[in-house]
């Protein structure tokens, strides 16, 4: 089964841009040329968006191929397909990588065992329940990436699908 998704490179130093393209091409098995534009949220860096189509699991392969580069901020999404839930990966230099399973409307689906573990840590006084839930929802990553998600004027707009 195939799925489709989007790779959002929120910020990359110029020297890293060709390496990102090579890594994506290696995962997808085809030549990739990204359209890079300046990232106003971090002067001296560049951003790009790339729609892809591939087998279920491609999002995790893309995230794995890009996750080791310290100066890179990115997100990878995959839409659900008949054989797999959707996925979202977010990565920042400070926080590392976040993974979430997503439903057909893009909502994060948190497994029951992860919720139970968060409750237990909270009940034992190891952590605050709100903080645990925020981590499960990827809030620290969203907070850090939000300024980078807007490319500014003239950025291309891509519609992924229409919800009826």
């Amino acid at each position: 089964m195939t799925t489709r998704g989007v790779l959002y490179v929120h910020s990359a130093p110029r020297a890293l841009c060709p390496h990102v393209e090579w890594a994506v091409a290696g995962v997808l098995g085809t030549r990739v040329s990204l359209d890079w534009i300046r990232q106003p949220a971090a002067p001296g860096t560049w951003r790009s968006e790339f729609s892809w189509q591939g087998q279920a699991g491609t999002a995790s392969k893309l995230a794995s191929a890009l996750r080791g580069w310290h100066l890179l901020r990115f997100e990878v999404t995959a839409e659900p397909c008949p054989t797999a839930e959707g996925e979202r990966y977010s990565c920042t230099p400070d926080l590392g990588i976040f993974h979430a399973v997503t439903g057909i409307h893009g909502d994060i689906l948190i497994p029951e065992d992860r919720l139970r573990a968060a409750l237990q840590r909270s009940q034992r006084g190891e952590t605050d329940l709100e903080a645990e839930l925020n981590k499960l929802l990827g809030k620290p990553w969203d907070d850090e990436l939000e300024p980078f998600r807007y490319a500014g004027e003239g950025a291309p707009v891509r519609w992924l699908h229409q919800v009826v």
Side-chain angles (χ1 to χ4, degrees):
M1 268 302 153
T2 61
T3 187
R4 60 186 177 169
V6 180
L7 165 65
Y8 303 93
V9 178
H10 293 300
S11 70
R14 188 65 169 155
L16 197 53
C17 295
H19 298 281
V20 170
E21 291 179 2
W22 296 331
V24 173
V27 170
L28 298 178
T30 186
R31 186 176 182 279
V32 172
S33 179
L34 302 178
D35 294 326
W36 295 97
I37 59 174
R38 293 187 187 276
Q39 172 53 273
T45 66
W46 297 78
R47 62 172 282 125
S48 186
E49 294 179 15
F50 181 74
S51 296
W52 57 268
Q53 185 169 341
Q55 296 296 316
T58 299
S60 65
K61 291 177 183 175
L62 288 169
S64 293
L66 299 175
R67 77 180 284 183
W69 297 333
H70 180 68
L71 299 175
L72 189 63
R73 286 178 183 87
F74 69 89
E75 290 180 276
V76 183
T77 63
E79 293 182 2
C81 66
T83 60
E85 299 286 356
E87 294 182 281
R88 175 181 152 211
Y89 292 86
S90 302
C91 189
T92 74
D94 293 333
L95 298 171
I97 200 153
F98 167 77
H99 171 254
V101 174
T102 58
I104 62 171
H105 300 294
D107 297 322
I108 291 177
L109 307 175
I110 302 171
E112 179 181 334
D113 289 342
R114 292 185 73 191
L115 287 171
R116 288 183 196 282
L119 280 171
Q120 288 174 355
R121 282 191 297 275
S122 173
Q123 289 169 347
R124 289 192 304 260
E126 296 172 10
T127 187
D128 175 65
L129 182 58
E130 183 178 358
E132 284 291 309
L133 292 177
N134 282 334
K135 280 190 227 172
L136 290 173
L137 293 169
K139 186 175 182 336
W141 288 263
D142 286 339
D143 290 346
E144 189 169 327
L145 290 173
E146 195 61 29
F148 294 90
R149 288 181 173 144
Y150 302 99
E153 281 188 46
V157 176
R158 297 184 189 209
W159 297 102
L160 297 179
H161 58 82
Q162 181 179 358
V163 178
V164 181

